[in-house]
Amino acid sequence: MHAFSKVSAQADDQRALLAVLRGERRDPPPVWLMRQAGRYLPEYRALREEKGGFLALCYDPEAAAEITLQPIRRFGFDGAILFSDILIVPHALGQDLWFEAGEGPRLAPPMTDGLLDGLVADHSRLETIAETVRRVVAQLPAETTMIGFAGSPWTVATYMVAGQGSKDQGAARRLAYGDPHAFARLIAAITATTIDYLCLQIDAGVMAVQLFDSWAGSLAPDQFRRWVIEPNRAIVEALHTRRPGVPMIGFPKGIGEKLPEYARDTGFDAIGIDETIDPVWADQALPPALPVQGNLDPLALVAGGDALDRAVAAVRAAFANRPHIFNLGHGILQDTPIVHVERLLAMLRQ
Ligand code: CP3
């Protein structure tokens, strides 16, 4: 064995989150929170004010690295998640992207016909995000796992087609039925760029990656297999071949009873579950050695008190016999009191 790989293998062993993603059980479970860098932190709000908005922060590697590290310094989470957004991929594919204050993302032109032909791709945008990763990794504590991410093709496509968020993802669902060939080409373009982008993140130093599929729950079963399972499986296979040894977490929000099929057919190394899933059911329904991440209700963390204590205990008890990463079922809410995050960590670590 080369001296270098020996050193990095030892360093990896200190990283509890990475060990669990590779199938070990650790007690207490490693913990990180989706959206842990963000608006509930005063130090985030201050930097966002100074730099003039969310997207400006994403493309400022020094600021984005600082924001990624803010919750690590404050709370000592086991995972640092890259500060960026899933919509950087459509931006790199050539769609205009901006965020309307108080409303959310806008993409133009909307890809209502699914055709990317008129767009001018700019992959240098992805390089800028890789620079953020390099800066974070250079400052990361030895016990912290650096997590990269991308959106899953279906969820990214819902924003590209509608040009914004929507309640029922109707525009993308219509296009998928009405012109499946055009929609398949759009999904293929997102898939290919996502694979390259995740390779870039890994080469820059991310140690695990998560695919966010926020709208996986809005599809009928045959559409789910075609637009969620198939592209995710393609990404997992490509990454396992091109960058072996980097664990991949799938987070399919809202898929309910489709969870066992998703876990089996995508090949993810770990599965993130949302707060609507009964963790006792998930523990029985998923293979016993498969690492599971989740699934505290973000509103229990807002509420605090006994409700929080009971919810934390229930999640831990359900996953007491398998590799488990403690997380929320979805992103931390803006009005979450910081003392409740501290209480959660004290409970987990006592
Ligand atoms: O988890 C993290 O801390 C990493 C960073 C991250 C962000 N967005 C930062 C962000 C990640 C992983 C995402 C994923 C993302 N982005 C998803 C999938 C997961 C999910 O939350 O459902 C989606 C659908 C998006 C697209 C997006 N970005 C929307 C719809 C919005 C507006 C809604 C909102 O919460 O304001 C964003 C903005 C966004 N992305 C913010 C942050 C911190 C808020 C920016 C701000 O106003 O300061």
Side-chain angles (χ1 to χ4, degrees):
M1 194 189 261
H2 297 294
F4 174 75
S5 53
K6 200 166 162 190
V7 167
S8 65
Q10 281 167 355
D12 277 2
D13 198 50
Q14 282 181 48
R15 296 189 162 94
L17 199 156
L18 201 53
V20 172
L21 287 172
R22 290 182 174 147
E24 258 181 61
R25 183 174 164 79
R26 292 280 174 103
D27 258 307
V31 54
W32 68 283
L33 304 180
M34 289 185 278
R35 290 276 177 100
Q36 66 191 15
R39 287 170 296 195
Y40 74 110
L41 291 178
E43 58 268 38
Y44 169 76
R45 295 195 298 268
L47 198 53
R48 188 182 116 147
E49 185 95 345
E50 185 192 320
K51 298 284 181 174
F54 171 64
L55 201 56
L57 289 177
C58 291
Y59 287 124
D60 180 335
E62 192 185 345
E66 171 60 23
I67 292 168
T68 303
L69 289 162
Q70 281 173 348
I72 307 306
R73 292 199 197 101
R74 190 187 261 274
F75 301 116
F77 289 123
D78 295 282
I81 178 131
L82 169 64
F83 182 81
S84 178
D85 198 83
I86 65 166
L87 299 178
I88 299 299
V89 164
H91 205 201
L93 285 167
Q95 252 182 328
D96 282 340
L97 170 67
W98 70 100
F99 284 79
E100 291 285 346
E103 289 187 43
R106 294 289 182 275
L107 294 135
M111 306 274 97
T112 37
D113 55 7
L115 300 177
L116 289 156
D117 306 351
L119 301 183
V120 182
D122 181 0
H123 285 236
S124 71
R125 294 190 162 123
L126 306 179
E127 289 287 350
T128 305
I129 308 298
E131 176 59 22
T132 301
V133 174
R134 282 189 283 274
R135 286 172 186 247
V136 175
V137 170
Q139 303 172 65
L140 202 65
E143 66 276 12
T144 314
T145 298
M146 178 68 196
I147 307 165
F149 75 88
S152 277
W154 162 251
T155 286
V156 172
T158 66
Y159 290 94
M160 292 184 78
V161 173
Q164 60 183 56
S166 61
K167 240 198 333 227
D168 63 357
Q169 296 73 56
R173 288 163 62 200
R174 268 164 225 265
L175 180 61
Y177 280 121
D179 191 348
H181 293 293
F183 195 68
R185 280 199 299 277
L186 177 61
I187 290 284
I190 300 167
T191 301
T193 300
T194 300
I195 291 167
D196 290 343
Y197 180 39
L198 292 174
C199 286
L200 267 181
Q201 291 184 28
I202 291 165
D203 295 343
V206 309
M207 301 156 195
V209 301
Q210 175 157 318
L211 283 171
F212 285 84
D213 217 343
S214 307
W215 303 119
S218 63
L219 291 172
D222 62 324
Q223 300 286 292
F224 176 77
R225 281 188 282 275
R226 182 153 184 201
W227 308 120
V228 171
I229 301 263
E230 292 293 323
N232 277 306
R233 188 199 358 234
I235 294 171
V236 171
E237 275 177 9
L239 268 290
H240 279 165
T241 305
R242 285 169 59 174
R243 298 295 185 277
V246 178
M248 302 193 62
I249 310 162
F251 173 58
K253 191 166 132 34
I255 68 168
E257 82 290 350
K258 298 191 189 82
L259 197 65
E261 177 195 2
Y262 175 92
R264 182 188 68 225
D265 291 349
T266 57
F268 278 112
D269 302 288
I271 303 293
I273 64 173
D274 70 71
E275 72 277 8
T276 67
I277 304 256
D278 176 352
V280 173
W281 173 82
D283 186 59
Q284 286 160 4
L286 294 170
L290 183 69
V292 169
Q293 174 175 283
N295 72 335
L296 180 71
D297 189 340
L299 280 157
L301 192 57
V302 173
D306 289 348
L308 173 61
D309 295 2
R310 278 195 302 273
V312 171
V315 170
R316 284 200 68 181
F319 298 124
N321 294 309
R322 69 160 67 235
H324 176 219
I325 294 158
F326 198 95
N327 204 321
L328 297 170
H330 196 202
I332 188 168
L333 294 162
Q334 192 178 348
D335 56 343
T336 305
I338 285 170
V339 290
H340 294 181
V341 179
E342 291 166 351
R343 180 181 180 124
L344 165 68
L345 292 170
M347 271 187 83
L348 291 173
R349 289 167 179 168
Q350 78 185 209

